[in-house]
Amino acid sequence: MCAAPLLPLEDALRILAAAFPPPATPEIRADRDDPALDLSSMDGAALRSQDGAAPRRVLGTLFAGDDPAAFRVEPGTCVRIMTGAALPPGADAVVPVEDLVQGPQGLTPAAPPLPGAHVRPRGSQARKGDLLLPPGAPAGAGHTGLLAQVGLPTPPLARLRVGIVPTGDEITAHPAPHQIRDSNGPMLEALAHALGAEVRRLPPLPDRPEAVRDFLLGLGDLQILLTSGGVSAGDKDHLPRVLEAMGARILFHRIRLKPGKPMLTALLDGRVILGLPGNPVSSYMNALLFLPVAMAGLQGRRAPDPWKEGRLAAAVPNPGDRPLLHPCRREGRDLHPLPSQGSADLVRLAQADAFAWVPEGGMGAGPTRYLDTL
Amino acid sequence: MCAAPLLPLEDALRILAAAFPPPATPEIRADRDDPALDLSSMDGAALRSQDGAAPRRVLGTLFAGDDPAAFRVEPGTCVRIMTGAALPPGADAVVPVEDLVQGPQGLTPAAPPLPGAHVRPRGSQARKGDLLLPPGAPAGAGHTGLLAQVGLPTPPLARLRVGIVPTGDEITAHPAPHQIRDSNGPMLEALAHALGAEVRRLPPLPDRPEAVRDFLLGLGDLQILLTSGGVSAGDKDHLPRVLEAMGARILFHRIRLKPGKPMLTALLDGRVILGLPGNPVSSYMNALLFLPVAMAGLQGRRAPDPWKEGRLAAAVPNPGDRPLLHPCRREGRDLHPLPSQGSADLVRLAQADAFAWVPEGGMGAGPTRYLDTL
């Protein structure tokens, strides 16, 4: 019905990742020398290197955070020191505990220490005012830690607001034999929640273009919308046409993947619309692939890479003209194919530890990439 | 100071994963035949196969969710049908749109259809009452979808309550040169939040055993506690001794990893205590490795596998006797080592896309495994 060539999955992932502006993170400069003093990098004794292997009387102990001015190391003395503690005035080296001998005259180094041994010198990491990270660096826990270290405000712990709406007149809470329950809604809700989103599950959308349009006009403060169904090329698949008519920027529609061909991704008024196929496994698979990319894009984090390298333990046929993601039980890196009945097979999805990549034409046992389930 | 052999990282990860009971998920049985009726697996026409390639008059259209009793397919007729719709009475096969020719007498199949063609027969996935999943199967989004499909209640969307407390007298909001700000607290908070936890950041703990003990007695409804610092073998490292005195079950203490050797993991009154080292990169690294395992264990999900296979693009020395996780910029699967200054180097942590595994003795350019940062 639609002759447009299908987009390879890697292109689709790249296009979505590229749809976001660079991270809005600030420049980070050192607010003081780092470390701010000469610090010990070992538990041991702080002493004068020029006094060689002579015994030293212990003046006391310095822990990380202690003011080193409490002591002054003179010839014949030393201070016990813990990792991270600042060197007391007079000391220029640290001898680790394991190289110290306790005797009647104090502590004796096993060998003459070198100047600066086991010392992290003041400013060796950075000088006050140094540019540590330029603006626009990816956000993340490490970035937050660095902001805190130099005394800059850390970003608020926001959760992305993700809406989930199944589409289709066949969905009902108490189904007749020709109807079905909504399994995609709870499944996608669990997936998005596990990915850290604040999820709002919305009632199923009927198969009418006006209903789809009215719904899309009332998304409120949602930042990402997951729809399931209504995105293929059938007469009741209104989402692509309605989005286009509303001026959404369609990033892509229809990808070269089984299950999941009808997948659509669009930007609408700053929101990300992930139009997932209606079949449960297709819906799950595309959410697993694209939702983390959309979330990272909106949060200024690095685009995640979902692939791992494993080994298919048995042959999997794939007569179609699209690469297949096949449910597997995983043991270490060995992927044991489950007897999937296709994109409606929620049992195999629930059993799967991973989905293995099987190229067009199928493949025998051997190395391939895979996705872990969530 | 401590002669006990260090635990290899893989053993530590396995021990933590094995510390949790099996998932408390219920048995799942089919509440009806699946599918409940014969369904079309294509968009096309539902018809009688025994009438061969003769033209058929179109009676109407059936969409997924339509009641198929609206039509009866007699000789010389057919019903347009969409993927997922139930076959109308009388029809036993579906011919896909692309194999149909529209003519004056209706739709003509390009070839005589076979009985059952493009039909998902009633009960072909499961029969009513069939055991779909035994109790104790791993929880997860697919499991939730299957529960919803058969009409069972889905688990609530709970977030694990994770407390974060730095330890150490050197931590203060307005540091003198021998003091430092708390960078681990905000960093670990961001990490745990990104992993989906409900995080509570607590004020730094002073280096006194009674303070540590009182704190551990007042954990309230926290399910996981991340501490940073105070877990090594120094005089002010009270956490291991206090935990032992309180009857905690120490899962392991000290692992063969750089950075991160002092890592401690314990169970205390049903809570998981992750005693992270105090250095920022050690703290981050061990949280990245162990927190997802603890969270999955408490939630009955599969233990996550953090490793990917990549290629170190340049040699990295590692003179120590522990495997090293070295910060890298990642391009595809190529890992470019950053000039790290060790476990206090938050700049390199913030810049790193990944941490590459470098065995004892170091390695040249070549294949190795790695962790993505978060």
Side-chain angles (χ1 to χ4, degrees):
Chain A
M1 289 169 91
C2 176
L6 298 176
L7 191 69
L9 175 58
E10 287 311 300
D11 291 350
L13 288 165
R14 211 174 359 250
I15 286 170
L16 179 58
F20 299 93
T25 48
E27 169 184 286
I28 306 183
R29 288 189 182 273
D31 68 318
R32 57 179 191 172
D33 289 352
D34 179 17
L37 297 172
D38 294 343
L39 301 185
S40 175
S41 61
M42 298 292 278
D43 292 349
L47 38 66
R48 291 161 40 98
S49 60
Q50 62 262 51
D51 300 339
R56 268 85 158 179
R57 184 168 56 86
V58 178
L59 302 177
T61 304
L62 282 171
F63 291 94
D66 285 351
D67 189 343
F71 302 101
R72 167 159 291 276
V73 175
E74 311 277 1
T77 68
C78 71
V79 171
R80 283 196 187 272
I81 193 162
M82 299 296 145
T83 306
L87 259 66
D92 71 332
V94 170
V95 175
V97 216
E98 49 269 37
D99 298 336
L100 291 169
V101 179
Q102 174 80 60
Q105 294 168 291
L107 293 172
T108 306
L114 294 172
H118 304 294
V119 174
R120 279 186 70 214
R122 171 178 176 163
S124 56
Q125 176 82 43
R127 289 283 174 194
K128 180 175 177 170
D130 279 359
L131 180 66
L132 302 180
L133 276 185
H143 196 272
T144 296
L146 190 60
L147 286 168
Q149 190 182 54
V150 302
L152 288 173
T154 54
L157 295 181
R159 295 218 175 270
L160 288 169
R161 295 177 297 277
V162 174
I164 290 173
V165 66
T167 72
D169 294 329
E170 71 275 30
I171 298 171
T172 175
H174 303 286
H178 59 279
Q179 297 173 317
I180 55 169
R181 292 192 186 89
D182 176 22
S183 54
N184 285 354
M187 177 183 73
L188 295 171
E189 183 183 31
L191 183 68
H193 179 85
L195 290 170
E198 179 195 316
V199 189
R200 279 180 237 160
R201 189 142 66 85
L202 305 158
L205 266 185
D207 284 327
R208 288 182 296 108
E210 323 79 62
V212 174
R213 184 189 151 85
D214 289 352
F215 172 79
L216 291 174
L217 286 172
L219 293 179
D221 64 353
L222 290 180
Q223 296 165 287
I224 299 178
L225 178 70
L226 306 184
T227 64
S228 73
V231 77
S232 192
D235 292 350
K236 286 200 173 181
D237 293 316
H238 302 301
L239 192 66
R241 289 186 293 268
V242 170
L243 278 170
E244 253 178 290
M246 291 174 75
R249 179 176 153 214
I250 309 285
L251 297 175
F252 56 82
H253 185 199
R254 296 165 59 85
I255 60 175
R256 215 155 73 79
L257 182 65
K258 182 178 167 186
K261 181 167 77 171
M263 181 67 195
L264 176 149
T265 302
L267 300 182
L268 178 68
D269 304 329
R271 297 189 190 88
V272 184
I273 314 286
L274 298 183
L276 307 168
N279 264 320
V281 184
S282 312
S283 200
Y284 175 90
M285 190 68 67
N286 280 282
L288 186 67
L289 285 164
F290 292 103
L291 180 54
V293 177
M295 292 180 69
L298 288 173
Q299 294 179 320
R301 292 184 286 111
R302 294 169 178 85
D305 169 15
W307 300 108
K308 295 181 176 175
E309 309 296 328
R311 189 180 174 285
L312 200 59
V316 174
N318 179 17
D321 57 352
R322 288 171 282 155
L324 169 70
L325 281 168
H326 189 90
C328 294
R329 190 169 49 77
R330 182 168 70 73
E331 285 176 8
R333 290 291 190 248
D334 289 339
L335 304 159
H336 300 274
L338 291 164
S340 170
Q341 296 207 19
S343 62
D345 192 344
L346 262 172
V347 174
R348 243 47 76 176
L349 170 57
Q351 287 178 333
D353 306 307
F355 278 79
W357 181 266
V358 178
E360 306 89 312
M363 66 174 282
T368 192
R369 60 183 181 162
Y370 69 92
L371 306 167
D372 277 326
T373 56
L374 204 72
Chain B
M1 289 169 90
C2 176
L6 298 175
L7 190 69
L9 175 59
E10 288 310 300
D11 291 352
L13 288 165
R14 213 176 356 251
I15 287 170
L16 179 58
F20 299 94
T25 47
E27 169 184 285
I28 306 184
R29 288 190 181 271
D31 68 318
R32 58 178 191 172
D33 289 351
D34 179 17
L37 298 172
D38 294 343
L39 301 185
S40 176
S41 62
M42 298 292 279
D43 292 348
L47 38 66
R48 291 159 41 96
S49 61
Q50 63 263 49
D51 299 339
R56 268 84 159 179
R57 186 169 55 86
V58 178
L59 300 176
T61 303
L62 283 171
F63 291 93
D66 285 351
D67 189 343
F71 301 103
R72 168 160 289 277
V73 175
E74 311 278 0
T77 68
C78 72
V79 170
R80 281 194 189 274
I81 193 162
M82 299 296 145
T83 305
L87 259 66
D92 72 331
V94 169
V95 175
V97 217
E98 49 268 39
D99 298 337
L100 290 169
V101 179
Q102 174 81 59
Q105 293 168 291
L107 294 172
T108 306
L114 294 172
H118 304 295
V119 174
R120 279 186 70 215
R122 171 178 176 164
S124 56
Q125 176 83 44
R127 288 285 174 189
K128 180 174 177 172
D130 278 359
L131 180 67
L132 302 181
L133 276 185
H143 196 272
T144 296
L146 190 59
L147 286 169
Q149 189 182 52
V150 302
L152 287 173
T154 54
L157 295 181
R159 295 217 175 272
L160 288 169
R161 295 177 297 277
V162 174
I164 291 173
V165 67
T167 72
D169 293 331
E170 72 275 30
I171 298 171
T172 175
H174 302 285
H178 59 278
Q179 298 172 315
I180 55 170
R181 291 192 187 89
D182 176 21
S183 54
N184 285 354
M187 179 184 71
L188 296 170
E189 183 183 31
L191 183 67
H193 178 86
L195 290 170
E198 178 196 317
V199 188
R200 279 180 238 159
R201 189 141 66 86
L202 305 159
L205 267 183
D207 286 327
R208 288 183 295 109
E210 323 80 62
V212 173
R213 183 189 150 86
D214 289 351
F215 173 79
L216 291 174
L217 286 171
L219 292 179
D221 65 352
L222 290 180
Q223 295 165 288
I224 299 178
L225 178 71
L226 306 183
T227 63
S228 73
V231 78
S232 194
D235 293 349
K236 285 203 174 181
D237 293 315
H238 303 299
L239 192 67
R241 290 185 293 268
V242 171
L243 278 169
E244 252 178 293
M246 291 175 75
R249 179 177 152 212
I250 309 285
L251 296 176
F252 56 83
H253 185 197
R254 296 165 57 84
I255 59 175
R256 214 156 73 78
L257 182 66
K258 182 180 169 185
K261 180 166 78 170
M263 181 68 196
L264 176 147
T265 303
L267 299 181
L268 178 68
D269 303 329
R271 296 189 190 88
V272 183
I273 314 286
L274 298 182
L276 307 168
N279 264 320
V281 184
S282 312
S283 199
Y284 175 91
M285 190 68 67
N286 280 282
L288 186 66
L289 284 164
F290 292 103
L291 180 54
V293 177
M295 292 180 70
L298 287 173
Q299 294 179 321
R301 292 183 287 110
R302 294 170 178 83
D305 169 16
W307 301 107
K308 295 180 177 178
E309 309 297 328
R311 190 180 174 285
L312 199 60
V316 174
N318 179 16
D321 57 353
R322 287 171 284 155
L324 169 70
L325 280 167
H326 189 89
C328 295
R329 191 169 49 77
R330 182 168 70 73
E331 285 176 9
R333 291 290 191 249
D334 289 339
L335 304 160
H336 301 273
L338 291 165
S340 171
Q341 297 205 17
S343 63
D345 192 345
L346 262 172
V347 175
R348 243 47 75 176
L349 171 57
Q351 286 178 332
D353 306 308
F355 278 79
W357 181 266
V358 177
E360 307 87 314
M363 65 175 282
T368 192
R369 60 183 182 161
Y370 69 93
L371 306 166
D372 278 325
T373 56
L374 205 70

